[in-house]
Structure formats: C-alpha cells, structure tokens
Amino acid sequence: LTKNNKERGKKMKQPEIIVLGAGYAGLRATIRLAKKTHKQAHVTLVNASPVFVERVRLHQQATGQNLRQLDLARLVASVGADFVQGYVTSLNLNARTVTVRTADGERVLSYDKLLYALGSTIDRDSVPGVREYADVLTPERSTMLYAKLAGLRPGSPVVVVGGGLTGLEAASEIAENYPDLAVKLVTTGDFADKFSRKGQTYLRNAFERMGITVQDNTNVERLTADEIITTQGNIAYAVVVWAGAFAVAPVARESGLTVNSSGQIVTNHMLQSVSHPDVYAAGDAAQILDFQPYLRMSCQTALPMAATAATNVWAALVGTAQKTHRHSYAGSNVSLGRNAALIQVADKNDRPLEFVFTGRFGAMIKEYVCRFAAHVALDDKYSFVWLPGYRPQYTGATREAEILSLEAQ
Ligand SMILES: Cc1cc2nc3c(=O)[nH]c(=O)nc-3n(C[C@H](O)[C@H](O)[C@H](O)COP(=O)(O)OP(=O)(O)OC[C@H]3O[C@@H](n4cnc5c(N)ncnc54)[C@H](O)[C@@H]3O)c2cc1C
C-alpha cells in the first residue's frame, strides 16, 4: 500500500492482515493495527476461544474467583476489525493462507501480512501421566480444578509441581483459599532460586506461614492415578496441579517457519520471521535472534513485542521504515494469595537485585500490574489512573465507556 496505490483510489483491494491468537500480544497488536490502518487495511483476529481471559489470573479462577470474560468479537469490532473464532491448524506460507477449524467447518483465510501470537500453554507431554492425571491452569481447565478443590476433604494432599512463578502463585492461592488442605510444592531446582536472597527469604517465610511444604531438588519421572513418582520417592496426591514449563503450539514448526528448539518463531530485530518476511511474531510464541536480554515468556515481554510487531506490519505495507525492537526488564511479581505478594526488582537484563516490595503493599503493586497489563492489551495505551480501593479508570474517555460496557455484559 504505497502512496501511489493509495491515490489510485478506493477500488484497490485492501491488504489483508491476520493476527493469530488473542492473548495479551495478539489483542494489543490487533487494536494497534486497526487504529493505525484507519480502515485502509482489513484486520482479522483469529482465536480459539470467543473471550479474552486474563491468563495471569487463572490461579484465581482455579480457586473460585470470577474473572471477567470479554467478548472478543465485540471488542475488536469496536475498533473496526473482524473476529474469527476457531482453531488454527496450519499455515501455507507460499500461498499465504491460514487454515482455521471453526464450528461451521474448515475456513481458509488469505493474508498479505500475518502476525503470529499463538502464545504458549503448560507443557503436558514431556512427563508421562501429566496429560491423564494432572490439572493445569488453562482457561478451559481452571474451573474444573476449582470443582475438584472445593470437593476435597480437609487434610487432602494437593501437590503443585513447578517452582516457577505459575507454581508459586498456584500453591499460595490454593493454600490461602483452602487452609484445611495439605498443600505441597515440588520443584526440580532449589526453591525460589531465580530470586534475590531477600526474595528467597521472604518466599520461604510466606510459604511457612501459609502452611505450604516445599520439596525441592526433586525430579518428577511420571504420574500415576494417585502418586507422583520422583527421584526422591513417591508422593501421594488427591489433586496434582502441573505448573511445569510453558510449551508453544506446533503450528509454526509444522508449517515450515524457522523455529528454535522450543518451537518459538525466530525473528529478526523487527519481529519479522527470519525465514518468511511476510510473517511477524510476538509474545510467548516468538524469540528474537541474537537479542539481549533473553526474552522471558511473560506479559511484560509480550506487550511491547506486540506493539513493535504491529507497527512494523503496517510500516511494511505502506513502505516506511520499520522499528527495531528494544526491551528492558524491571522485575517480576509473584502473588501469594490476595493479601501478599513479592515484587522482585531486577536490572534491565532481568537479573534480580537485592530490592523487593512485599506484603500488602506488594499485593497492591501486583494487582495494579495485572490491571495495567490487561488495560494495555485492550486499549494499546499506557494512560491509566488507579487509586487503592477504587475501580480502575481508563483515561481514554471513549474507549473507557466501550470497554467497561463490554465488561458489564
Ligand atoms: C497462572 C499464570 C500466571 C501468570 N502470571 C504472570 C505474571 O504475573 N506476569 C507475567 O508477565 N506473566 C505471567 N504469566 C505468563 C503470561 O500469562 C504469558 O507470558 C502471556 O499470557 C503471553 O501472552 P501471549 O499473548 O504471547 O500468549 P497467550 O496469552 O498464551 O495467548 C495466546 C492466545 O492464542 C490462542 N491460541 C493458541 N493456540 C491456538 C490455535 N492453534 N488456534 C487458535 N488460537 C490459539 C490461545 O487460546 C490464547 O488466546 C502467567 C501465566 C500463568 C498460566
């Protein structure tokens, strides 16, 4: 869509931009593209689920807390984009098409530019028995986990496997909501070894206070219907919550895009696939070649990547210069139930510093960060005002009304 083409008038076919995945990255990219293109391109968002669920709050859903569910079709229609609900099964990179399995059968969508943001999910295939016996924090399964937890007898053993952020948040949320259950966290390395000394000490004390036992330096070999078989002996469970590593969808690898050993699309510094320049990628599903810092799968990585990728998709179509992606980390936040959190401050390369915020003040910061992440995804804006105890107010007046009215439905 060069200047000349624009001048040729409205008869010219609009370029087709397809965004795959409506997580934090895909949603932000769609909103940005729809706003930037001013209807000079046709933007379509494809996602398996019809609603946007805040993934960073799934441990809250697993303990019976209601999460808002925003209708994606209405949300993207409010900025002039289209929505297709369906499961992306393959890409044809030569024909530039995406095949989507929808409720009405298979659809093949054509694109000029593709923005791939299919994110990640918990890996359930690397350890035998996980797929059959473990519960996981996904939008579909968190509610089932809640039903199981709510039905357990006092003293029942609930084991969370995984000492990363997801495991720490899941174990503490369950312990806070079900103090009568015997919650245990099992992890391969040393407990909380990614945190500063202050952070580790705080987490250890918080877990002790909540009655969560920790078994670290333990490798899980497989699960049976009632036991976890580990290098340190067997652990009986009533419910096991698997919070191991994240895995990405196989679509990119199977379609022939260049991917790394984790299956993430390898991009250049403009977030353009190194093998297929019409494809851009952002979020958990992407990794930039030779980039510092190493991009950790997280919202704080996904949201800025989405902004760069969307900006560059449009720049490529109109023939202007593309932006080089830049990224600095600020730290990581771990909720410990609703009343405490650890805010671990880090340097720009994501190395933890001996500087933490904890307790109720930490919980306030963590809540703010979660709201902020959703706000940026939904509105592609940073402007945000929040006062403790008050509902967040979106400062963009028109979008505020739209988003809040969608939320109410
Ligand atoms: C319990 C929990 C707590 C977390 N806490 C934090 C935190 O505190 N801070 C933080 O930064 N990060 C946190 N994370 C990680 C964070 O949620 C992810 O890094 C982030 O969601 C990545 O965003 P994304 O848009 O790349 O992908 P995702 O959010 O995974 O979105 C991908 C979207 O694509 C869809 N999709 C996938 N495959 C297909 C397909 N084949 N067809 C159609 N649609 C498909 C999915 O349904 C989803 O809607 C947490 C994760 C979990 C599970």
Side-chain angles (χ1 to χ4, degrees):
L1 192 79
T2 60
K3 242 183 186 173
N4 285 348
N5 283 340
K6 263 198 244 168
E7 281 155 15
R8 263 183 236 148
K10 288 173 189 162
K11 278 185 204 147
M12 200 187 82
K13 188 179 170 298
Q14 284 186 334
E16 294 287 340
I17 303 171
I18 298 184
V19 180
L20 303 183
Y24 291 88
L27 194 49
R28 181 179 195 188
T30 304
I31 305 279
R32 172 165 290 215
L33 278 163
K35 286 180 179 174
K36 259 189 186 297
T37 55
H38 297 298
K39 303 206 168 118
Q40 293 174 62
H42 183 220
V43 182
T44 306
L45 173 66
V46 183
N47 195 60
S49 138
V51 291
F52 172 68
V53 179
E54 292 175 70
R55 191 173 163 203
V56 301
R57 294 187 189 272
L58 286 177
H59 49 293
Q60 293 178 241
Q61 182 162 295
T63 51
Q65 299 163 55
N66 284 329
L67 300 190
R68 62 179 179 175
Q69 309 225 337
L70 292 172
D71 184 296
L72 285 166
R74 289 174 59 93
L75 185 66
V76 299
S78 72
V79 286
D82 278 343
F83 177 68
V84 172
Q85 188 199 340
Y87 192 80
V88 178
T89 52
S90 65
L91 312 177
N92 184 329
L93 299 163
N94 293 327
R96 290 194 299 204
T97 58
V98 178
T99 304
V100 186
R101 196 172 62 228
T102 72
D104 303 323
E106 198 170 270
R107 279 184 68 181
V108 177
L109 310 174
S110 297
Y111 64 83
D112 294 290
K113 299 286 173 206
L114 183 73
L115 202 160
Y116 186 108
L118 290 184
S120 68
T121 188
I122 304 278
D123 175 9
R124 294 201 286 151
D125 296 313
S126 298
V127 174
V130 171
R131 194 163 274 281
E132 292 90 324
Y133 304 119
D135 284 282
V136 284
L137 294 174
T138 60
E140 307 75 36
R141 298 186 58 111
S142 296
T143 319
M144 286 157 65
L145 174 56
Y146 168 53
K148 280 194 191 173
L149 291 171
L152 291 177
R153 290 211 189 93
S156 301
V158 174
V159 184
V160 176
V161 182
L165 300 186
T166 309
L168 295 171
E169 292 193 331
S172 45
E173 199 79 36
I174 294 169
E176 182 179 86
N177 282 279
Y178 301 98
D180 291 344
L181 297 177
V183 181
K184 176 182 244 187
L185 182 110
V186 174
T187 178
T188 39
D190 287 335
F191 177 68
D193 58 358
K194 301 280 184 301
F195 296 88
S196 65
R197 265 183 302 108
K198 273 190 188 158
Q200 286 175 19
T201 307
Y202 179 73
L203 283 174
R204 271 198 189 283
N205 291 339
F207 267 47
E208 212 174 294
R209 180 175 43 78
M210 295 176 107
I212 306 168
T213 52
V214 174
Q215 182 172 329
D216 57 4
N217 297 303
T218 300
N219 278 329
V220 173
E221 292 173 340
R222 65 191 166 88
L223 303 190
T224 68
D226 48 15
E227 277 189 326
I228 304 172
I229 316 300
T230 83
T231 47
Q232 310 295 325
N234 300 354
I235 303 167
Y237 70 83
V239 166
V240 57
V241 181
W242 194 262
F246 288 171
V248 304
V251 178
R253 186 197 299 273
E254 288 170 1
S255 304
L257 283 158
T258 296
V259 295
N260 63 14
S261 57
S262 310
Q264 292 173 297
I265 295 178
V266 181
T267 75
N268 62 21
H269 286 226
M270 268 91 76
L271 296 183
Q272 193 171 26
S273 153
V274 292
S275 58
H276 294 81
D278 290 327
V279 178
Y280 289 72
D284 286 4
Q287 190 63 239
I288 306 175
L289 188 66
D290 297 330
F291 191 77
Q292 283 301 326
Y294 177 78
L295 296 170
R296 160 166 63 90
M297 289 186 186
S298 63
C299 289
Q300 64 178 305
T301 309
L303 288 165
M305 283 176 98
T308 307
T311 299
N312 286 346
V313 163
W314 185 231
L317 281 170
V318 294
T320 55
Q322 298 192 39
K323 264 178 65 178
T324 298
H325 188 64
R326 297 195 194 291
H327 192 85
S328 296
Y329 284 98
S332 46
N333 316 300
V334 195
S335 65
L336 299 164
R338 293 302 89 207
N339 299 310
L342 168 67
I343 311 300
Q344 171 65 68
V345 180
D347 69 10
K348 65 182 176 113
N349 291 318
D350 214 19
R351 283 181 300 238
L353 304 171
E354 287 299 335
F355 190 39
V356 295
F357 296 101
T358 57
R360 279 191 184 273
F361 184 57
M364 257 174 59
I365 298 176
K366 170 71 182 174
E367 177 57 27
Y368 177 86
V369 169
C370 290
R371 291 181 187 194
F372 180 75
H375 171 66
V376 175
L378 293 167
D379 200 18
D380 185 37
K381 273 191 189 155
Y382 287 103
S383 51
F384 193 70
V385 177
W386 184 70
L387 297 171
Y390 289 85
R391 186 180 176 75
Q393 297 298 310
Y394 300 98
T395 53
T398 325
R399 288 290 291 159
E400 174 189 354
E402 282 168 5
I403 291 171
L404 293 181
S405 76
L406 288 168
E407 203 176 317
Q409 288 162 20

